[in-house]
Amino acid sequence: LANYLKKGLEIEPIMPPNLTEKTKELILSLKSKEKSLKYNVTERTIAAIMNMIKASARLELRAEIRAKDLERVFSILNEK
């Protein structure tokens, strides 16, 4: 377990350009329905979302972010 955690902390996942645009779209959709959310979408919220996306990739020890990482994070954020 210690080796897994150490390896995960060494990885800095990179977001491919095609997912950057998808991330922007998902954040904008969150921003548009902000009034119905339990939280405000601020710069800190966006930074936290990006950290969660990277953490999702690190869980699988991947250096590249995939679409499933975005889906995982945004499904958590859309739960009511």
Side-chain angles (χ1 to χ4, degrees):
L1 182 61
N3 288 335
Y4 170 80
L5 293 173
K6 184 179 177 183
K7 177 90 172 151
L9 290 173
E10 292 171 355
I11 298 171
E12 185 57 41
I14 298 169
M15 185 173 298
N18 62 325
L19 293 181
T20 302
E21 190 60 36
K22 185 173 181 176
T23 304
K24 287 179 188 175
E25 291 171 8
L26 290 169
I27 289 172
L28 288 174
S29 74
L30 277 178
K31 188 71 176 162
S32 69
K33 58 183 181 180
E34 185 174 28
K35 291 187 190 275
S36 66
L37 298 174
K38 296 178 182 177
Y39 53 88
N40 294 325
V41 181
T42 64
E43 289 179 20
R44 291 181 100 179
T45 308
I46 295 169
I49 291 169
M50 297 306 296
N51 287 334
M52 289 171 62
I53 292 169
K54 289 178 183 179
S56 176
R58 282 189 188 111
L59 281 172
E60 297 180 9
L61 302 178
R62 286 185 280 105
E64 187 172 288
I65 294 169
R66 295 184 183 160
K68 70 179 182 177
D69 299 315
L70 298 178
E71 293 165 8
R72 181 180 290 152
V73 170
F74 283 95
S75 70
I76 293 168
L77 293 172
N78 288 323
E79 286 183 0
K80 292 188 178 189

